[in-house]
């Protein structure tokens, strides 16, 4: 996993309110299709210095706990329930509400404090820590997460939600110091699993042209992708492969692609249809390594891969998995090599050199461009003697 930091910190802050009309201001966030609208009482206006101490945070917590904050929390909870937001997508709403109340560019500590307070009052065990001029924001998470710092307290893992705001600084160089800000009812773990995708603003939809050749015929697609959905996953960390592979498409993207793919493979036998999906994933997008594209390893969800100009093997494996699952719902395994990941599909009768896993037989389906034009059941020559690990097995 990530570098380990064993420390604990909870913080309270005081902030000036942005929206004040008499005793009450209104917050509106237009990120998902339906706007989030809530009233904000003036008593929640907490002022906090740019340069913080633990006492500043403890004083801020006391003041906001004494304020009329509950209508805001109730509005957030109602919106989350109505739109079936998983924790990560709920946090994207919380971030934008905090930005409305306390813009991060004006006072980052105020902004982070409001995020902390809203997550805690939503029941999540979130913590704050101070590292000289840094305000570090953590949340309890019991999943396998990579790429971001974490620390352990009483056997519980807390992952850092805001390391990206400090250019991914190495916290080993400046370990944060804990500040005790207990919220007794905030005990829920935060999950990065995204099993449902909300509707995003339709005015942020973009139409994208894709094409590839199959059996001497060129297939053209006009798919809808959403810029705000891409924004929602900008800082999404590396999660386990099961979580990663099962991030769904939003309704607009799904409706512009999956029915057309199903129509195109209608009449093909199952193996030929999977071959079609494999070659769509392999050739409808340009390849580029993450280090060249992003300067770091970044796994794209299927929706991000469809929206991006470039993608690598991780991204294509996840997209191919999603497409085969939606069109044929066949058993699949993900094969992780030291420098590559590919997929294998379970057919009634295997094709090519079989892969045996847990007593079942699978056929390799390479969704990433290779030096060879690989068919189903063929593995790249450079990988044939290389050991692999099955990192995800899907059984319908």
């Amino acid at each position: 996993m990530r570098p380990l930091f064993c420390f604990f910190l909870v913080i309270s802050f005081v902030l000036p309110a942005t929206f004040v009309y008499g005793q009450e201001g209104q917050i509106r966030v237009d990120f998902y299709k339906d706007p989030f609208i809530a009233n904000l009482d003036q008593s929640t206006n907490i002022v906090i210095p740019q340069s913080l101490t633990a006492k500043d945070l403890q004083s801020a917590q006391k003041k906001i706990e004494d304020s009329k904050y509950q209508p805001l929390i109730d509005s957030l909870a109602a919106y989350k329930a109505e739109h079936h937001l998983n924790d990560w997508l709920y946090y994207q709403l919380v971030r934008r509400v905090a930005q409305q109340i306390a813009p991060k560019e004006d006072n980052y500590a105020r902004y982070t404090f409001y995020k902390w307070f809203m997550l805690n009052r939503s029941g999540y065990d979130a913590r704050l820590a101070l590292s000289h001029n840094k305000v570090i924001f953590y949340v309890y998470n019991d999943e396998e997460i990579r790429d971001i710092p974490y620390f352990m307290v009483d056997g519980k893992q807390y992952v850092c939600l805001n390391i990206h705001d400090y250019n991914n600084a190495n916290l080993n160089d400046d370990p944060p110091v804990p500040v005790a800000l207990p919220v007794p009812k905030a005990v829920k773990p935060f999950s990065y699993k995204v099993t449902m995708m909300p509707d995003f603003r339709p005015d942020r939809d973009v139409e994208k042209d894709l094409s590839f050749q199959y059996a001497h015929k060129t297939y053209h697609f006009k798919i809808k992708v959403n810029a705000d959905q891409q924004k929602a996953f900008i800082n999404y960390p590396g999660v386990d492969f099961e979580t990663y592979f099962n991030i769904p498409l939003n309704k607009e993207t799904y409706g512009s692609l999956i029915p057309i793919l199903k129509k195109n493979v209608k009449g093909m036998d199952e193996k030929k249809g999977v071959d079609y999906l494999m070659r769509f994933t392999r050739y409808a997008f340009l390849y580029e390594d993450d280090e060249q594209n992003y300067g770091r390893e970044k796994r794209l969800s299927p929706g991000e891969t469809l929206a991006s100009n470039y993608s690598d093997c991780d991204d294509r494996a996840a997209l191919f998995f999603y497409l085969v699952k939606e069109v044929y719902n066949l058993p699949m395994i993900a094969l992780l090599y030291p420098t590559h990941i590919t997929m294998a599909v379970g057919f009634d009768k295997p094709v090519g050199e079989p892969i045996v896993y847990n007593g079942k037989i699978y056929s390799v389906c390479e969704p990433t461009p290779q030096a060879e034009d690989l068919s189903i059941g063929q593995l790249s020559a450079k990988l044939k003697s290389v050991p692999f690990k099955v990192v995800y097995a899907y059984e319908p």
Side-chain angles (χ1 to χ4, degrees), residues 134-148:
K134 301 182 186 72
V135 180
I136 308 301
F137 182 32
Y138 288 87
V139 68
Y140 168 41
N141 170 271
D142 56 10
E143 300 162 342
E144 181 183 343
I145 307 296
R146 64 176 182 85
D147 297 342
I148 52 177

Side-chain angles (χ1 to χ4, degrees), residues 20-45:
V20 179
Y21 307 105
Q23 293 300 309
E24 203 173 70
Q26 188 180 81
I27 292 173
R28 178 183 175 116
V29 174
D30 291 296
F31 186 63
Y32 300 118
K33 182 178 178 181
D34 297 327
F36 171 78
I37 300 173
N39 292 322
L40 183 68
D41 191 88
Q42 188 178 15
S43 64
T44 61
N45 172 19

Side-chain angles (χ1 to χ4, degrees), residues 314-328:
D314 299 89
D315 315 324
R316 291 164 197 255
L319 177 60
F320 176 74
F321 168 84
Y322 185 85
L323 297 181
V324 173
K325 181 182 175 184
E326 289 300 315
V327 177
Y328 291 107

Side-chain angles (χ1 to χ4, degrees), residues 269-272 274-275 278 344-355 361-365 374-379:
D269 63 42
E270 190 174 74
K271 291 185 179 68
K272 187 172 182 181
V274 171
D275 184 60
M278 177 181 75
V345 177
F347 299 105
D348 289 338
K349 294 182 179 179
V351 181
E353 187 172 341
I355 300 288
I361 300 176
Y362 299 84
S363 301
V364 173
C365 295
L374 301 173
S375 300
I376 290 179
Q378 293 183 321
L379 184 65

Side-chain angles (χ1 to χ4, degrees), residues 183-207:
V183 182
K185 294 182 180 180
V187 296
K188 290 194 302 184
F190 179 92
S191 175
Y192 284 95
K193 293 185 184 297
V194 177
T195 58
M196 294 187 68
M197 196 67 67
D199 293 334
F200 289 82
R201 289 170 47 192
D203 63 309
R204 300 287 287 160
D205 284 343
V206 178
E207 201 169 64

